[in-house]
Amino acid sequence: METIQNIPRHIAIVMDGNGRWARKKHRPRFMGHKKGVEAVREIVKTCSLLKVECLSLFAFSSENWKRPEEEIKNLMGLFMMALEREARSLARNNVRLQIIGDLSHFSEKLQAKIKQVEELTKDSDGLRLIVAANYGGRWDIVESTRDIARTIEAGVLRPDDVKEDLISDNLTTTGLPDPDLFIRTGGEKRISNFLLWQMAYTELYFTDVLWPDFDEAELKKAISDYSSRQRRFGKTSEQVIADKKAAKK
Ligand code: IPE
Ligand code: IPE
Ligand code: MG
């Protein structure tokens, strides 16, 4: 595999466009989701090979419950099947899987399966694969805030102890670096309540490619676009260049 400069440590993806992919082919929406799982497999493999540390995938948002019952049922079934089929291969490929989101709304069977696959892959020290299911960025912040409020009520912390790090540490993504690169397929240009707090300084990349068509080549295009950007974090361009030079010495 050719070398790409400046690989992001953490890539976060809103996998959008499954329904439109299916419609274009005159197939039921479900077929788009099914094909989407294949795209997930290819992207996970590529991220592993590229030594990306962390890949976060938005699989089901807290707003997606508004969809027709039939589609939700199909999505849950597909999620279950993917976990069953991929568990061993994730472990074999040294991928650690973690699901974030409010899992209490899922069936007992699915919750048990999630626990089982997380357990099976917990010792992997390769790619960290985060799948967001019934996740919402605002939900994550609300939960974190509630946890902190409780510790203050219990007298363990004082209001002055509430700092950025404390909030970050209480989010579901605790311990992970913030995303460097955000990708959204399917042409829409919005975040749709994904990792809101964590993406304060993430580079955003939007593509019209529909998720089932997003492959290794498309991922590399996104990474190469990312590598050409200058991340300034509030500094001037000259300061960033000087910092880079100093770091090389
Ligand atoms: C994304 O594809 C998958 C989920 C939200 C589960 P969509 O199902 O949103 O596809 P479009 O946007 O209708 O094409
Ligand atoms: C965002 O896609 C959520 C996932 C990909 C799981 P949607 O298709 O649900 O987003 P909106 O509703 O168009 O913003
Ligand atoms: Mg969509």
Side-chain angles (χ1 to χ4, degrees):
M1 193 176 273
E2 77 275 25
T3 47
I4 304 179
Q5 297 284 312
N6 202 8
I7 298 288
R9 287 180 71 193
H10 183 172
I11 301 177
I13 308 183
V14 171
M15 311 182 288
D16 197 19
N18 294 350
R20 280 163 284 164
W21 183 92
R23 189 169 358 109
K24 253 175 51 185
K25 296 199 151 31
H26 309 287
R27 313 276 290 276
R29 290 179 61 85
F30 174 62
M31 290 310 290
H33 296 314
K34 220 171 145 195
K35 194 81 175 67
V37 176
E38 286 174 35
V40 169
R41 201 178 294 127
E42 178 162 341
I43 295 310
V44 169
K45 194 170 139 213
T46 309
C47 283
S48 279
L49 289 171
L50 290 173
K51 300 265 184 283
V52 172
E53 282 172 45
C54 181
L55 172 67
S56 299
L57 301 175
F58 207 1
F60 191 85
S61 75
S62 38
E63 289 71 33
N64 287 147
W65 294 109
K66 294 177 196 156
R67 294 199 176 192
E69 212 174 301
E70 178 75 9
E71 178 161 354
I72 294 174
K73 215 177 98 206
N74 283 334
L75 282 166
M76 295 301 152
L78 203 57
F79 193 23
M80 187 75 188
M81 207 163 74
L83 286 169
E84 270 165 2
R85 284 204 185 150
E86 305 298 328
R88 272 175 214 300
S89 126
L90 290 174
R92 227 183 303 116
N93 289 295
N94 204 18
V95 176
R96 178 172 167 195
L97 178 73
Q98 199 184 331
I99 312 291
I100 58 168
D102 184 359
L103 303 185
S104 64
H105 291 237
F106 293 144
S107 70
E108 301 267 319
K109 208 171 141 209
L110 186 52
Q111 289 185 50
K113 190 81 216 169
I114 288 170
K115 261 207 195 125
Q116 191 196 352
V117 183
E118 285 182 333
E119 183 64 25
L120 185 78
T121 62
K122 76 173 188 320
D123 295 324
S124 300
D125 61 2
L127 177 72
R128 290 194 67 169
L129 175 61
I130 313 297
V131 174
N134 193 18
Y135 180 86
R138 287 188 173 178
W139 165 82
D140 206 356
I141 296 168
V142 168
E143 291 293 306
S144 165
T145 308
R146 196 180 293 125
D147 277 354
I148 294 168
R150 284 204 190 100
T151 53
I152 292 177
E153 190 185 42
V156 179
L157 289 176
R158 286 165 303 128
D160 283 352
D161 294 324
V162 180
K163 309 251 161 57
E164 283 195 11
D165 280 353
L166 186 72
I167 296 177
S168 295
D169 289 348
N170 279 279
L171 294 170
T172 53
T173 48
T174 175
L176 303 174
D178 285 340
D180 299 295
L181 170 62
F182 166 88
I183 299 172
R184 185 179 184 131
T185 61
E188 312 300 347
K189 292 179 182 64
R190 52 179 174 257
I191 294 173
S192 298
N193 200 15
F194 198 20
L195 304 161
L196 297 180
W197 171 276
Q198 298 87 335
M199 298 216 305
Y201 251 113
T202 301
E203 295 294 330
L204 309 179
Y205 179 90
F206 298 95
T207 170
D208 289 336
V209 174
L210 303 170
W211 177 251
D213 291 327
F214 194 80
D215 58 8
E216 178 181 334
E218 290 297 335
L219 177 67
K220 286 182 170 169
K221 244 197 252 174
I223 296 178
S224 127
D225 184 285
Y226 162 85
S227 352
S228 70
R229 302 185 192 183
Q230 186 187 51
R231 302 184 76 188
R232 290 195 279 276
F233 298 99
K235 294 183 177 179
T236 67
S237 183
E238 291 74 16
Q239 283 176 301
V240 175
I241 293 166
D243 285 353
K244 257 205 186 129
K245 262 193 199 153
K248 269 191 194 147
K249 274 185 193 158

